[in-house]
Amino acid sequence: MERFVDLIHNKKTGRELSDTDIQNMVRGYCDGSIPDYQMSAMLMAICFNGLSDRELTTLTLAMRDSGQINDLSSIPGIKVDKHSTGGVGDKTTLIIGPIAAACGIPIAKMSGRGLGFTGGTIDKLESIPGFRTDLSTEDFFQAVQRTGICLNGQTGELAPADKLIYALRDVTATVDSIPLIAASIMSKKLAAGSDKILLDVTTGNGAFIKDYQQSLELARKMVTIGTQAGKTTVAQLTSMDEPLGFAIGNNLEVMEAIHALHGDGPADLMEVCYCLASHMISLGKEISLEDARMQAEDAIHSGRAWNTFLAMVQEQGGDTSYMENPERLPQATVKYEYKAARSGYITGMDTEGFGIAAGILGAGRSKKEDSIDVSAGIVLCHKVNDHVTSGDTLARLHTSSPELAQAAAGKLDSCYQFEDHPGAAIRLIGDVVV
């Protein structure tokens, strides 16, 4: 048996690791027999030299197999999972989950919390009074069987190797390795147990990966992993070159999702949601995207998606009276109008900067243990290629103190780009990888 230092040398010099080497590496790191300093060296070697498709799939499956794997076979129908690589104002799960479930696709989804400039689905759901995201596995399955959908928090029992390896990547500057990102995401998706997987790979200045070609590479690697693991997997690239919709922040995004479920959400949000929901319905029913789109739109216009959302909220302990009267949700004590300093067309937005500003207001967290203010955030009044006049309100900041509002406004000063003429339109929907 080779020493682990020899495996590090092999990867450093561009050679491939065997399946057994990779499986022993994951097992050894989880049981503590491989120390942090050696695993750090291996991660850096992978950063520089990458992984073949075989190595990447073996790594992902070893991470998947490090913990519990959900068995959803007791839930009738083709289960379709969805994952987004994250962004600013991305509340699509709250909308497309109920759309797909209303069309007969069982949705048994585990979601995460926000960290850094990106928001988390679980934080948004927990801004609904009473809503529970800590259901046991048994209650999780039963909720899906009763209402067709359950959005639950991720448990530490799913792919624990990923949690350990990610913590090490976070402090060794190896987070941005595309193969390691792909393995991290797909190990959890494969452990979650759905039959098919839709990946929303965001790209642009508000996404984790900002370069389009790198985003496309990530999409291809994740689809390859899913396919080699026996799961039909589709990736859809979507733009994050401006915040999605108008609302950024937890209950602000819940309120916008409610509008979308009634069919009157912002145009960009509705288009992305219909696109993603169409993929989920197409995968679950094995029908064309065109027919799936018609079903998705009918689920909204008939009210079935809204009723499914309400049923989900009630099933998970949430108070549906807040959903039927969202103005009752907790309101920020300070609302500050951020105004344009000049006239012109908005030709660009630093979307990540908006996420950071929302965090300053209290809507996000820089460390996992930080608390959040569910009422804090930003509501945009204008978006890219809108014309504004000096003094117009560009955004409304929701927070708990004037000092936080001023600090966030200072951040927004560098987030808008103005020109005398409109710029190029944002390509909202990108390539599909199958």
Side-chain angles (χ1 to χ4, degrees), residues 2 14 18 29 33 41 53 56 62 72 78 100 148 167 226-227 243 246 303 335 372 393 407:
E2 285 189 274
S18 72
Y29 188 59
S33 60
D53 287 347
L56 182 54
L72 304 181
I78 297 174
T227 302
F246 291 104
K335 296 179 183 177
I372 58 172
T393 299

Side-chain angles (χ1 to χ4, degrees), residues 1 46 57 69 76-77 145 261 283 296 299 321 337 381 393 398:
M1 178 176 172
I46 290 171
T57 299
I69 300 174
Q145 290 174 327
L261 285 163
L283 285 168
S321 69
E337 295 201 351
C381 301
T393 299
H398 295 235

Side-chain angles (χ1 to χ4, degrees), residues 17 33 61 79 88 120 122 124 144 149 168 216 260 264 267 278 325 328 367 400:
L17 305 176
S33 60
L61 295 181
K79 280 70 68 178
V88 179
I122 293 302
K124 294 163 194 175
V144 179
I149 179 172
L168 193 59
L216 192 57
D264 57 358
S278 298
N325 300 282
R328 292 183 57 220
K367 302 186 298 295
S400 58

Side-chain angles (χ1 to χ4, degrees), residues 205 239 241-242 345-349 383-386 417-428:
N205 66 54
S239 174
D241 273 328
E242 65 177 345
Y345 289 91
I346 301 171
T347 55
M349 287 181 164
K383 299 190 73 173
V384 170
N385 284 330
D386 285 355
Q417 179 180 333
F418 291 95
E419 303 288 346
D420 293 331
H421 303 282
I426 289 175
R427 182 190 178 197
L428 196 59

Side-chain angles (χ1 to χ4, degrees), residues 119-272:
T121 298
I122 293 302
D123 296 320
K124 294 163 194 175
L125 290 169
E126 287 182 348
S127 74
I128 301 170
F131 196 101
R132 289 187 56 206
T133 61
D134 59 351
L135 302 184
S136 67
T137 300
E138 182 181 354
D139 290 343
F140 176 47
F141 290 0
Q142 289 179 355
V144 179
Q145 290 174 327
R146 279 195 285 264
T147 65
I149 179 172
C150 184
L151 304 178
N152 205 26
Q154 291 174 351
T155 72
E157 294 153 358
L158 284 186
D162 173 62
K163 184 177 180 180
L164 291 171
I165 293 170
Y166 189 90
L168 193 59
R169 288 167 58 207
D170 197 34
V171 294
T172 57
T174 54
V175 167
D176 59 353
S177 162
I178 286 178
L180 294 177
I181 295 169
S184 174
I185 291 170
M186 292 302 292
S187 64
K188 295 190 289 284
K189 288 294 103 181
L190 294 172
S194 286
D195 302 305
K196 299 183 180 183
I197 301 167
L198 171 67
L199 301 163
D200 173 19
V201 181
T202 55
T203 184
N205 66 54
F208 182 66
I209 296 180
K210 295 168 173 51
D211 177 76
Y212 189 89
Q213 290 304 316
Q214 286 189 318
S215 300
L216 192 57
E217 181 187 353
L218 174 61
R220 287 171 175 154
K221 286 192 179 300
M222 291 193 292
V223 168
T224 296
I225 293 168
T227 302
Q228 292 188 351
K231 303 276 188 182
T232 300
T233 306
V234 173
Q236 172 69 66
L237 270 70
T238 62
S239 174
M240 196 46 71
D241 273 328
E242 65 177 345
L244 190 58
F246 291 104
I248 307 165
N250 296 288
N251 69 15
L252 297 173
E253 293 190 42
V254 170
M255 286 187 263
E256 188 163 77
I258 290 170
H259 289 300
L261 285 163
H262 284 94
D264 57 358
D268 62 336
L269 176 62
M270 296 303 297
E271 181 55 33
V272 169

Side-chain angles (χ1 to χ4, degrees), residues 313-344:
V313 171
Q314 184 170 24
E315 177 70 27
Q316 294 187 234
D319 187 337
T320 57
S321 69
Y322 287 89
M323 302 297 92
E324 291 164 329
N325 300 282
E327 67 279 359
R328 292 183 57 220
L329 287 167
Q331 297 288 312
T333 54
V334 173
K335 296 179 183 177
Y336 175 93
E337 295 201 351
Y338 179 79
K339 298 183 182 293
R342 60 156 286 182
S343 300

